[in-house]
Amino acid sequence: MRKQIVAGNWKMNCTIEEGQKLTSEVVQLVQDEVQNEAEVIFVPPFIHLISLNERLPFKDQVLIGAQNCHQNESGAFTGEISASMIKSCGGSHVIIGHSERREYFGESDALLAEKVNTVLKNELTPIFCCGERLESREINTQEAVVGEQVRNALFHLTPEEISKVVIAYEPVWAIGTGKTASAEQAQEMHAFIRQAIAEKYSTDVADSISILYGGSVKPENAKEIFSKPDVDGGLIGGASLKSRDFVDIVKAFD
Ligand code: PEP
Protein backbone atom coordinates (compact mmCIF):
# COMPACT_ATOMS: atom_id res chain seq x y z
CA MET A 1 0.00 0.00 0.00
CA ARG A 2 1.34 3.40 -0.97
CA LYS A 3 1.22 6.21 1.53
CA GLN A 4 -1.60 8.70 1.12
CA ILE A 5 -0.32 12.20 1.74
CA VAL A 6 -1.76 15.69 1.97
CA ALA A 7 0.93 18.35 2.17
CA GLY A 8 0.19 22.04 2.71
CA ASN A 9 2.61 24.47 1.07
CA TRP A 10 2.16 27.80 2.85
CA LYS A 11 4.55 29.50 0.40
CA MET A 12 5.61 32.95 1.71
CA ASN A 13 2.67 33.42 4.06
CA CYS A 14 2.07 33.65 7.82
CA THR A 15 3.79 35.43 10.65
CA ILE A 16 4.76 33.26 13.63
CA GLU A 17 1.48 34.08 15.40
CA GLU A 18 -0.59 33.32 12.30
CA GLY A 19 1.32 30.09 11.71
CA GLN A 20 0.82 28.93 15.29
CA LYS A 21 -2.90 29.64 15.13
CA LEU A 22 -3.28 27.82 11.82
CA THR A 23 -1.28 24.83 13.05
CA SER A 24 -3.22 24.53 16.30
CA GLU A 25 -6.52 24.68 14.42
CA VAL A 26 -5.47 22.05 11.88
CA VAL A 27 -4.07 19.71 14.53
CA GLN A 28 -7.27 19.98 16.57
CA LEU A 29 -9.51 19.34 13.56
CA VAL A 30 -7.38 16.39 12.43
CA GLN A 31 -7.61 14.90 15.91
CA ASP A 32 -11.35 15.46 16.17
CA GLU A 33 -12.52 14.63 12.66
CA VAL A 34 -10.11 12.73 10.44
CA GLN A 35 -10.88 9.01 10.17
CA ASN A 36 -8.14 8.01 7.75
CA GLU A 37 -4.39 7.57 8.11
CA ALA A 38 -3.22 9.90 5.39
CA GLU A 39 0.00 11.66 6.29
CA VAL A 40 -0.56 15.38 6.85
CA ILE A 41 2.51 17.51 6.19
CA PHE A 42 2.82 21.19 7.03
CA VAL A 43 5.26 22.91 4.71
CA PRO A 44 5.67 26.42 6.11
CA PRO A 45 8.42 29.00 5.59
CA PHE A 46 11.63 27.96 7.41
CA ILE A 47 11.11 30.29 10.39
CA HIS A 48 8.09 28.26 11.51
CA LEU A 49 9.71 24.84 11.66
CA ILE A 50 10.74 24.86 15.32
CA SER A 51 7.49 26.26 16.67
CA LEU A 52 5.43 23.88 14.52
CA ASN A 53 7.49 20.94 15.66
CA GLU A 54 6.60 21.78 19.26
CA ARG A 55 2.91 21.82 18.37
CA LEU A 56 2.61 18.36 16.84
CA PRO A 57 1.15 16.00 19.39
CA PHE A 58 0.97 12.89 17.21
CA LYS A 59 4.04 12.84 15.08
CA ASP A 60 3.30 9.70 13.08
CA GLN A 61 0.44 11.22 11.14
CA VAL A 62 1.30 14.93 11.17
CA LEU A 63 4.74 15.94 9.96
CA ILE A 64 6.58 19.05 8.87
CA GLY A 65 8.69 19.89 5.87
CA ALA A 66 10.48 22.77 4.18
CA GLN A 67 9.82 24.43 0.84
CA ASN A 68 13.40 24.28 -0.42
CA CYS A 69 16.97 23.69 0.69
CA HIS A 70 20.44 24.34 -0.64
CA GLN A 71 22.29 21.64 -2.56
CA ASN A 72 25.44 22.01 -0.44
CA GLU A 73 25.76 20.66 3.06
CA SER A 74 27.00 23.93 4.60
CA GLY A 75 29.22 26.90 3.88
CA ALA A 76 29.28 30.44 2.56
CA PHE A 77 25.82 30.63 0.99
CA THR A 78 24.27 33.69 2.55
CA GLY A 79 20.53 33.47 2.99
CA GLU A 80 20.31 29.73 2.32
CA ILE A 81 19.23 26.80 4.50
CA SER A 82 20.72 23.31 4.50
CA ALA A 83 19.02 19.93 4.67
CA SER A 84 20.69 19.14 8.00
CA MET A 85 19.33 22.39 9.47
CA ILE A 86 15.83 21.40 8.39
CA LYS A 87 16.32 18.00 9.96
CA SER A 88 17.57 19.55 13.19
CA CYS A 89 14.30 21.54 13.42
CA GLY A 90 12.27 18.34 13.20
CA GLY A 91 11.56 18.48 9.46
CA SER A 92 11.11 15.23 7.58
CA HIS A 93 10.29 16.42 4.04
CA VAL A 94 11.62 19.02 1.60
CA ILE A 95 9.82 20.27 -1.51
CA ILE A 96 12.27 20.26 -4.41
CA GLY A 97 11.62 21.92 -7.75
CA HIS A 98 8.35 23.71 -7.10
CA SER A 99 7.42 25.54 -10.30
CA GLU A 100 7.81 28.88 -8.52
CA ARG A 101 11.43 27.95 -7.69
CA ARG A 102 12.01 26.85 -11.27
CA GLU A 103 10.47 30.01 -12.67
CA TYR A 104 11.51 32.81 -10.29
CA PHE A 105 14.83 31.40 -9.09
CA GLY A 106 15.96 29.68 -12.29
CA GLU A 107 16.28 26.22 -10.76
CA SER A 108 17.31 23.77 -13.48
CA ASP A 109 16.81 20.01 -13.62
CA ALA A 110 20.54 19.55 -12.99
CA LEU A 111 20.40 21.66 -9.84
CA LEU A 112 17.29 19.82 -8.68
CA ALA A 113 19.07 16.49 -9.13
CA GLU A 114 21.78 17.76 -6.77
CA LYS A 115 19.21 18.95 -4.26
CA VAL A 116 17.42 15.59 -4.34
CA ASN A 117 20.76 13.89 -3.60
CA THR A 118 21.44 16.18 -0.66
CA VAL A 119 17.97 15.71 0.81
CA LEU A 120 18.22 11.92 0.56
CA LYS A 121 21.73 11.91 2.01
CA ASN A 122 20.33 13.68 5.05
CA GLU A 123 17.63 11.03 5.40
CA LEU A 124 14.83 13.41 4.53
CA THR A 125 12.10 12.81 1.96
CA PRO A 126 12.13 14.95 -1.17
CA ILE A 127 8.74 15.97 -2.53
CA PHE A 128 9.86 16.40 -6.12
CA CYS A 129 7.62 18.67 -8.20
CA CYS A 130 7.12 18.42 -11.93
CA GLY A 131 4.55 19.84 -14.30
CA GLU A 132 4.05 21.42 -17.68
CA ARG A 133 3.23 25.01 -18.57
CA LEU A 134 0.03 25.94 -20.37
CA GLU A 135 1.82 26.24 -23.75
CA SER A 136 2.84 22.59 -23.52
CA ARG A 137 -0.61 21.41 -22.56
CA GLU A 138 -2.06 23.33 -25.50
CA ILE A 139 0.14 21.53 -28.00
CA ASN A 140 -0.14 18.21 -26.20
CA THR A 141 3.55 17.92 -25.22
CA GLN A 142 2.87 17.63 -21.50
CA GLU A 143 4.10 14.04 -21.24
CA ALA A 144 7.35 14.84 -23.02
CA VAL A 145 7.96 17.80 -20.68
CA VAL A 146 7.12 16.01 -17.46
CA GLY A 147 8.94 12.85 -18.55
CA GLU A 148 12.09 14.87 -19.11
CA GLN A 149 11.81 16.64 -15.75
CA VAL A 150 11.45 13.32 -13.94
CA ARG A 151 14.24 11.63 -15.88
CA ASN A 152 16.67 14.52 -15.49
CA ALA A 153 16.20 15.00 -11.77
CA LEU A 154 15.51 11.46 -10.53
CA PHE A 155 16.70 8.73 -12.88
CA HIS A 156 20.30 8.80 -11.67
CA LEU A 157 19.04 7.43 -8.33
CA THR A 158 19.29 3.78 -7.32
CA PRO A 159 16.01 1.83 -6.93
CA GLU A 160 16.34 2.13 -3.14
CA GLU A 161 16.82 5.88 -3.38
CA ILE A 162 14.01 6.65 -5.79
CA SER A 163 11.65 4.54 -3.67
CA LYS A 164 12.12 7.16 -0.93
CA VAL A 165 11.01 10.06 -3.14
CA VAL A 166 7.51 11.51 -3.21
CA ILE A 167 6.54 13.01 -6.57
CA ALA A 168 4.09 15.89 -6.98
CA TYR A 169 2.58 16.47 -10.40
CA GLU A 170 1.62 20.13 -10.54
CA PRO A 171 0.59 21.51 -13.93
CA VAL A 172 1.84 25.10 -13.83
CA TRP A 173 -1.38 26.38 -15.38
CA ALA A 174 -3.36 25.04 -12.44
CA ILE A 175 -1.26 26.47 -9.60
CA GLY A 176 -2.92 29.34 -7.78
CA THR A 177 -5.16 29.99 -10.79
CA GLY A 178 -8.35 28.31 -9.65
CA LYS A 179 -8.10 26.07 -12.74
CA THR A 180 -7.81 22.46 -11.71
CA ALA A 181 -6.73 19.64 -13.96
CA SER A 182 -9.63 17.26 -14.32
CA ALA A 183 -9.39 14.07 -12.32
CA GLU A 184 -8.87 12.27 -15.65
CA GLN A 185 -6.00 14.57 -16.67
CA ALA A 186 -4.36 14.03 -13.28
CA GLN A 187 -4.77 10.26 -13.49
CA GLU A 188 -3.41 10.18 -17.03
CA MET A 189 -0.22 11.99 -16.06
CA HIS A 190 0.25 10.07 -12.82
CA ALA A 191 -0.08 6.79 -14.71
CA PHE A 192 2.43 8.07 -17.28
CA ILE A 193 4.96 8.98 -14.56
CA ARG A 194 4.48 5.63 -12.84
CA GLN A 195 4.93 3.79 -16.14
CA ALA A 196 8.16 5.69 -16.85
CA ILE A 197 9.48 4.67 -13.43
CA ALA A 198 8.41 1.07 -14.01
CA GLU A 199 10.27 0.98 -17.34
CA LYS A 200 13.46 2.44 -15.85
CA TYR A 201 13.34 0.55 -12.53
CA SER A 202 10.57 -2.00 -11.95
CA THR A 203 6.85 -2.24 -11.36
CA ASP A 204 7.52 -2.85 -7.67
CA VAL A 205 9.49 0.38 -7.39
CA ALA A 206 6.92 2.34 -9.40
CA ASP A 207 4.06 0.97 -7.32
CA SER A 208 5.76 2.00 -4.08
CA ILE A 209 6.09 5.70 -4.92
CA SER A 210 3.40 8.15 -3.80
CA ILE A 211 2.46 10.61 -6.54
CA LEU A 212 0.57 13.68 -5.37
CA TYR A 213 -1.49 16.05 -7.49
CA GLY A 214 -1.17 19.81 -6.96
CA GLY A 215 -3.00 22.72 -8.56
CA SER A 216 -6.03 24.45 -7.06
CA VAL A 217 -7.13 21.45 -4.99
CA LYS A 218 -10.10 22.42 -2.83
CA PRO A 219 -12.52 20.54 -0.58
CA GLU A 220 -14.97 20.48 -3.51
CA ASN A 221 -12.69 18.66 -5.94
CA ALA A 222 -10.36 16.68 -3.65
CA LYS A 223 -12.50 13.56 -3.35
CA GLU A 224 -12.82 13.04 -7.08
CA ILE A 225 -9.13 13.67 -7.78
CA PHE A 226 -7.95 11.48 -4.86
CA SER A 227 -10.26 8.66 -5.96
CA LYS A 228 -8.14 8.02 -9.06
CA PRO A 229 -5.96 4.91 -8.78
CA ASP A 230 -2.60 6.61 -9.37
CA VAL A 231 -3.31 9.73 -7.30
CA ASP A 232 -1.99 9.26 -3.78
CA GLY A 233 -2.85 12.65 -2.36
CA GLY A 234 -2.26 16.31 -2.89
CA LEU A 235 0.16 19.18 -2.56
CA ILE A 236 -2.04 22.06 -1.51
CA GLY A 237 -1.19 25.75 -1.78
CA GLY A 238 -3.92 28.34 -1.19
CA ALA A 239 -6.34 26.00 0.58
CA SER A 240 -3.67 24.97 3.12
CA LEU A 241 -3.91 28.46 4.65
CA LYS A 242 -7.49 27.85 5.76
CA SER A 243 -7.71 25.23 8.49
CA ARG A 244 -11.27 24.18 7.63
CA ASP A 245 -10.52 23.76 3.92
CA PHE A 246 -7.22 21.99 4.49
CA VAL A 247 -8.70 19.46 6.90
CA ASP A 248 -11.70 18.92 4.64
CA ILE A 249 -9.21 18.02 1.88
CA VAL A 250 -7.54 15.51 4.24
CA LYS A 251 -11.01 14.11 5.00
CA ALA A 252 -11.49 13.40 1.29
CA PHE A 253 -9.65 10.12 2.08
CA ASP A 254 -12.20 9.07 4.75
C1 PEP B 1 1.25 24.75 -4.92
O1 PEP B 1 1.75 25.83 -4.73
O2 PEP B 1 1.95 23.74 -4.84
C2 PEP B 1 -0.17 24.70 -5.27
C3 PEP B 1 -0.65 23.57 -5.72
O3 PEP B 1 -0.92 25.85 -5.10
P1 PEP B 1 -2.51 26.01 -5.22
O4 PEP B 1 -3.12 24.87 -4.44
O5 PEP B 1 -2.79 27.33 -4.59
O6 PEP B 1 -2.84 25.95 -6.66
mmCIF file of all heavy atoms in Angstrom, residues 12-40:
data_model
loop_
_atom_site.group_PDB
_atom_site.id
_atom_site.type_symbol
_atom_site.label_atom_id
_atom_site.label_comp_id
_atom_site.label_asym_id
_atom_site.label_seq_id
_atom_site.Cartn_x
_atom_site.Cartn_y
_atom_site.Cartn_z
ATOM 1 N N MET A 12 5.087 31.871 0.871
ATOM 2 C CA MET A 12 5.605 32.951 1.713
ATOM 3 C C MET A 12 4.454 33.654 2.425
ATOM 4 O O MET A 12 4.143 34.809 2.166
ATOM 5 C CB MET A 12 6.416 33.950 0.864
ATOM 6 C CG MET A 12 7.290 34.872 1.704
ATOM 7 S SD MET A 12 8.349 35.929 0.702
ATOM 8 C CE MET A 12 7.176 37.110 0.048
ATOM 9 N N ASN A 13 3.814 32.892 3.312
ATOM 10 C CA ASN A 13 2.670 33.421 4.056
ATOM 11 C C ASN A 13 2.810 33.059 5.532
ATOM 12 O O ASN A 13 3.430 32.050 5.858
ATOM 13 C CB ASN A 13 1.359 32.810 3.520
ATOM 14 C CG ASN A 13 1.031 33.315 2.126
ATOM 15 O OD1 ASN A 13 0.751 34.488 1.916
ATOM 16 N ND2 ASN A 13 1.125 32.433 1.148
ATOM 17 N N CYS A 14 2.216 33.862 6.372
ATOM 18 C CA CYS A 14 2.066 33.646 7.818
ATOM 19 C C CYS A 14 3.230 34.173 8.658
ATOM 20 O O CYS A 14 4.384 33.762 8.491
ATOM 21 C CB CYS A 14 1.860 32.161 8.169
ATOM 22 S SG CYS A 14 0.309 31.505 7.614
ATOM 23 N N THR A 15 2.865 35.059 9.585
ATOM 24 C CA THR A 15 3.789 35.434 10.652
ATOM 25 C C THR A 15 3.831 34.263 11.628
ATOM 26 O O THR A 15 3.028 33.318 11.504
ATOM 27 C CB THR A 15 3.269 36.677 11.402
ATOM 28 O OG1 THR A 15 1.997 36.320 11.978
ATOM 29 C CG2 THR A 15 3.109 37.873 10.465
ATOM 30 N N ILE A 16 4.696 34.340 12.635
ATOM 31 C CA ILE A 16 4.758 33.263 13.633
ATOM 32 C C ILE A 16 3.392 33.078 14.300
ATOM 33 O O ILE A 16 2.901 31.949 14.419
ATOM 34 C CB ILE A 16 5.853 33.560 14.696
ATOM 35 C CG1 ILE A 16 7.251 33.332 14.092
ATOM 36 C CG2 ILE A 16 5.673 32.706 15.952
ATOM 37 C CD1 ILE A 16 7.621 31.880 13.836
ATOM 38 N N GLU A 17 2.784 34.182 14.696
ATOM 39 C CA GLU A 17 1.479 34.080 15.398
ATOM 40 C C GLU A 17 0.434 33.436 14.471
ATOM 41 O O GLU A 17 -0.308 32.545 14.888
ATOM 42 C CB GLU A 17 0.974 35.466 15.845
ATOM 43 C CG GLU A 17 1.768 36.101 16.970
ATOM 44 C CD GLU A 17 3.125 36.633 16.523
ATOM 45 O OE1 GLU A 17 3.321 36.876 15.304
ATOM 46 O OE2 GLU A 17 4.007 36.798 17.375
ATOM 47 N N GLU A 18 0.392 33.881 13.239
ATOM 48 C CA GLU A 18 -0.594 33.318 12.301
ATOM 49 C C GLU A 18 -0.322 31.829 12.062
ATOM 50 O O GLU A 18 -1.244 31.014 11.981
ATOM 51 C CB GLU A 18 -0.544 34.069 10.970
ATOM 52 C CG GLU A 18 -1.104 35.482 11.039
ATOM 53 C CD GLU A 18 -0.700 36.376 9.856
ATOM 54 O OE1 GLU A 18 0.201 35.993 9.068
ATOM 55 O OE2 GLU A 18 -1.255 37.465 9.737
ATOM 56 N N GLY A 19 0.943 31.488 11.956
ATOM 57 C CA GLY A 19 1.315 30.094 11.711
ATOM 58 C C GLY A 19 0.946 29.201 12.890
ATOM 59 O O GLY A 19 0.461 28.075 12.718
ATOM 60 N N GLN A 20 1.153 29.725 14.111
ATOM 61 C CA GLN A 20 0.822 28.928 15.295
ATOM 62 C C GLN A 20 -0.682 28.711 15.392
ATOM 63 O O GLN A 20 -1.154 27.621 15.721
ATOM 64 C CB GLN A 20 1.352 29.639 16.546
ATOM 65 C CG GLN A 20 2.875 29.575 16.628
ATOM 66 C CD GLN A 20 3.446 30.310 17.815
ATOM 67 O OE1 GLN A 20 2.773 31.127 18.438
ATOM 68 N NE2 GLN A 20 4.693 30.031 18.131
ATOM 69 N N LYS A 21 -1.428 29.753 15.058
ATOM 70 C CA LYS A 21 -2.899 29.641 15.129
ATOM 71 C C LYS A 21 -3.383 28.616 14.097
ATOM 72 O O LYS A 21 -4.163 27.706 14.417
ATOM 73 C CB LYS A 21 -3.511 31.021 14.860
ATOM 74 C CG LYS A 21 -5.020 31.066 14.916
ATOM 75 C CD LYS A 21 -5.511 32.513 14.956
ATOM 76 C CE LYS A 21 -7.023 32.604 14.914
ATOM 77 N NZ LYS A 21 -7.600 32.278 13.604
ATOM 78 N N LEU A 22 -2.877 28.742 12.891
ATOM 79 C CA LEU A 22 -3.281 27.825 11.822
ATOM 80 C C LEU A 22 -2.927 26.377 12.188
ATOM 81 O O LEU A 22 -3.735 25.457 12.037
ATOM 82 C CB LEU A 22 -2.580 28.242 10.516
ATOM 83 C CG LEU A 22 -2.790 27.381 9.275
ATOM 84 C CD1 LEU A 22 -4.261 27.272 8.903
ATOM 85 C CD2 LEU A 22 -2.008 27.982 8.083
ATOM 86 N N THR A 23 -1.726 26.191 12.692
ATOM 87 C CA THR A 23 -1.283 24.835 13.054
ATOM 88 C C THR A 23 -2.163 24.247 14.147
ATOM 89 O O THR A 23 -2.609 23.094 14.056
ATOM 90 C CB THR A 23 0.175 24.861 13.550
ATOM 91 O OG1 THR A 23 0.961 25.525 12.577
ATOM 92 C CG2 THR A 23 0.722 23.455 13.742
ATOM 93 N N SER A 24 -2.411 25.043 15.189
ATOM 94 C CA SER A 24 -3.223 24.528 16.303
ATOM 95 C C SER A 24 -4.614 24.152 15.807
ATOM 96 O O SER A 24 -5.158 23.110 16.196
ATOM 97 C CB SER A 24 -3.366 25.579 17.412
ATOM 98 O OG SER A 24 -2.107 25.930 17.859
ATOM 99 N N GLU A 25 -5.171 24.978 14.941
ATOM 100 C CA GLU A 25 -6.515 24.684 14.417
ATOM 101 C C GLU A 25 -6.508 23.388 13.606
ATOM 102 O O GLU A 25 -7.373 22.528 13.772
ATOM 103 C CB GLU A 25 -6.997 25.824 13.515
ATOM 104 C CG GLU A 25 -7.404 27.083 14.265
ATOM 105 C CD GLU A 25 -7.680 28.266 13.341
ATOM 106 O OE1 GLU A 25 -7.658 28.098 12.087
ATOM 107 O OE2 GLU A 25 -7.887 29.370 13.855
ATOM 108 N N VAL A 26 -5.530 23.255 12.733
ATOM 109 C CA VAL A 26 -5.474 22.051 11.878
ATOM 110 C C VAL A 26 -5.282 20.806 12.746
ATOM 111 O O VAL A 26 -5.985 19.797 12.574
ATOM 112 C CB VAL A 26 -4.350 22.173 10.818
ATOM 113 C CG1 VAL A 26 -4.137 20.835 10.099
ATOM 114 C CG2 VAL A 26 -4.678 23.263 9.801
ATOM 115 N N VAL A 27 -4.349 20.879 13.686
ATOM 116 C CA VAL A 27 -4.070 19.711 14.532
ATOM 117 C C VAL A 27 -5.335 19.298 15.284
ATOM 118 O O VAL A 27 -5.679 18.112 15.345
ATOM 119 C CB VAL A 27 -2.898 20.034 15.499
ATOM 120 C CG1 VAL A 27 -2.822 19.017 16.629
ATOM 121 C CG2 VAL A 27 -1.579 20.082 14.738
ATOM 122 N N GLN A 28 -6.046 20.284 15.824
ATOM 123 C CA GLN A 28 -7.273 19.980 16.569
ATOM 124 C C GLN A 28 -8.321 19.320 15.665
ATOM 125 O O GLN A 28 -8.907 18.295 16.014
ATOM 126 C CB GLN A 28 -7.838 21.286 17.154
ATOM 127 C CG GLN A 28 -8.936 21.057 18.173
ATOM 128 C CD GLN A 28 -8.436 20.285 19.394
ATOM 129 O OE1 GLN A 28 -7.431 20.651 19.986
ATOM 130 N NE2 GLN A 28 -9.107 19.193 19.746
ATOM 131 N N LEU A 29 -8.509 19.893 14.479
ATOM 132 C CA LEU A 29 -9.511 19.341 13.555
ATOM 133 C C LEU A 29 -9.117 17.937 13.086
ATOM 134 O O LEU A 29 -9.977 17.062 12.945
ATOM 135 C CB LEU A 29 -9.683 20.273 12.344
ATOM 136 C CG LEU A 29 -10.426 21.593 12.608
ATOM 137 C CD1 LEU A 29 -10.288 22.534 11.414
ATOM 138 C CD2 LEU A 29 -11.904 21.326 12.894
ATOM 139 N N VAL A 30 -7.826 17.735 12.858
ATOM 140 C CA VAL A 30 -7.377 16.394 12.434
ATOM 141 C C VAL A 30 -7.684 15.400 13.557
ATOM 142 O O VAL A 30 -8.234 14.318 13.322
ATOM 143 C CB VAL A 30 -5.868 16.387 12.070
ATOM 144 C CG1 VAL A 30 -5.356 14.956 11.884
ATOM 145 C CG2 VAL A 30 -5.617 17.190 10.792
ATOM 146 N N GLN A 31 -7.355 15.799 14.774
ATOM 147 C CA GLN A 31 -7.605 14.902 15.913
ATOM 148 C C GLN A 31 -9.099 14.605 16.073
ATOM 149 O O GLN A 31 -9.491 13.472 16.307
ATOM 150 C CB GLN A 31 -7.116 15.560 17.207
ATOM 151 C CG GLN A 31 -5.723 15.110 17.572
ATOM 152 C CD GLN A 31 -5.167 15.881 18.751
ATOM 153 O OE1 GLN A 31 -5.438 17.064 18.932
ATOM 154 N NE2 GLN A 31 -4.355 15.207 19.536
ATOM 155 N N ASP A 32 -9.919 15.623 15.906
ATOM 156 C CA ASP A 32 -11.354 15.465 16.170
ATOM 157 C C ASP A 32 -12.102 14.779 15.036
ATOM 158 O O ASP A 32 -13.092 14.100 15.261
ATOM 159 C CB ASP A 32 -12.013 16.842 16.374
ATOM 160 C CG ASP A 32 -11.564 17.491 17.667
ATOM 161 O OD1 ASP A 32 -10.914 16.803 18.478
ATOM 162 O OD2 ASP A 32 -11.850 18.688 17.847
ATOM 163 N N GLU A 33 -11.652 14.988 13.785
ATOM 164 C CA GLU A 33 -12.524 14.634 12.660
ATOM 165 C C GLU A 33 -11.974 13.616 11.666
ATOM 166 O O GLU A 33 -12.748 12.967 10.987
ATOM 167 C CB GLU A 33 -12.868 15.921 11.869
ATOM 168 C CG GLU A 33 -13.618 16.944 12.690
ATOM 169 C CD GLU A 33 -13.972 18.181 11.866
ATOM 170 O OE1 GLU A 33 -13.774 18.167 10.635
ATOM 171 O OE2 GLU A 33 -14.442 19.161 12.452
ATOM 172 N N VAL A 34 -10.641 13.548 11.544
ATOM 173 C CA VAL A 34 -10.112 12.728 10.443
ATOM 174 C C VAL A 34 -10.138 11.248 10.817
ATOM 175 O O VAL A 34 -9.658 10.842 11.884
ATOM 176 C CB VAL A 34 -8.680 13.199 10.055
ATOM 177 C CG1 VAL A 34 -8.038 12.236 9.066
ATOM 178 C CG2 VAL A 34 -8.741 14.608 9.471
ATOM 179 N N GLN A 35 -10.718 10.452 9.918
ATOM 180 C CA GLN A 35 -10.876 9.010 10.173
ATOM 181 C C GLN A 35 -9.787 8.197 9.491
ATOM 182 O O GLN A 35 -9.633 7.019 9.766
ATOM 183 C CB GLN A 35 -12.217 8.521 9.597
ATOM 184 C CG GLN A 35 -13.431 9.312 10.008
ATOM 185 C CD GLN A 35 -13.839 8.991 11.418
ATOM 186 O OE1 GLN A 35 -13.617 7.881 11.890
ATOM 187 N NE2 GLN A 35 -14.405 9.965 12.105
ATOM 188 N N ASN A 36 -9.096 8.793 8.546
ATOM 189 C CA ASN A 36 -8.141 8.014 7.749
ATOM 190 C C ASN A 36 -6.723 8.188 8.267
ATOM 191 O O ASN A 36 -6.488 8.939 9.224
ATOM 192 C CB ASN A 36 -8.240 8.452 6.275
ATOM 193 C CG ASN A 36 -7.869 9.916 6.102
ATOM 194 O OD1 ASN A 36 -6.722 10.289 6.290
ATOM 195 N ND2 ASN A 36 -8.841 10.755 5.774
ATOM 196 N N GLU A 37 -5.772 7.507 7.626
ATOM 197 C CA GLU A 37 -4.395 7.572 8.113
ATOM 198 C C GLU A 37 -3.478 8.294 7.157
ATOM 199 O O GLU A 37 -2.255 8.085 7.168
ATOM 200 C CB GLU A 37 -3.902 6.150 8.390
ATOM 201 C CG GLU A 37 -4.640 5.602 9.573
ATOM 202 C CD GLU A 37 -4.171 4.243 10.026
ATOM 203 O OE1 GLU A 37 -3.307 3.640 9.359
ATOM 204 O OE2 GLU A 37 -4.714 3.804 11.042
ATOM 205 N N ALA A 38 -4.054 9.138 6.331
ATOM 206 C CA ALA A 38 -3.216 9.901 5.388
ATOM 207 C C ALA A 38 -2.216 10.746 6.183
ATOM 208 O O ALA A 38 -2.562 11.297 7.226
ATOM 209 C CB ALA A 38 -4.095 10.798 4.530
ATOM 210 N N GLU A 39 -1.002 10.808 5.664
ATOM 211 C CA GLU A 39 0.002 11.660 6.294
ATOM 212 C C GLU A 39 -0.342 13.113 6.001
ATOM 213 O O GLU A 39 -0.646 13.466 4.859
ATOM 214 C CB GLU A 39 1.360 11.354 5.656
ATOM 215 C CG GLU A 39 2.383 10.865 6.633
ATOM 216 C CD GLU A 39 3.641 10.398 5.936
ATOM 217 O OE1 GLU A 39 4.116 11.048 4.992
ATOM 218 O OE2 GLU A 39 4.155 9.355 6.363
ATOM 219 N N VAL A 40 -0.296 13.951 7.017
ATOM 220 C CA VAL A 40 -0.558 15.385 6.846
ATOM 221 C C VAL A 40 0.780 16.097 7.062
ATOM 222 O O VAL A 40 1.417 15.917 8.099
ATOM 223 C CB VAL A 40 -1.590 15.869 7.892
ATOM 224 C CG1 VAL A 40 -1.821 17.370 7.759
ATOM 225 C CG2 VAL A 40 -2.901 15.114 7.738
#
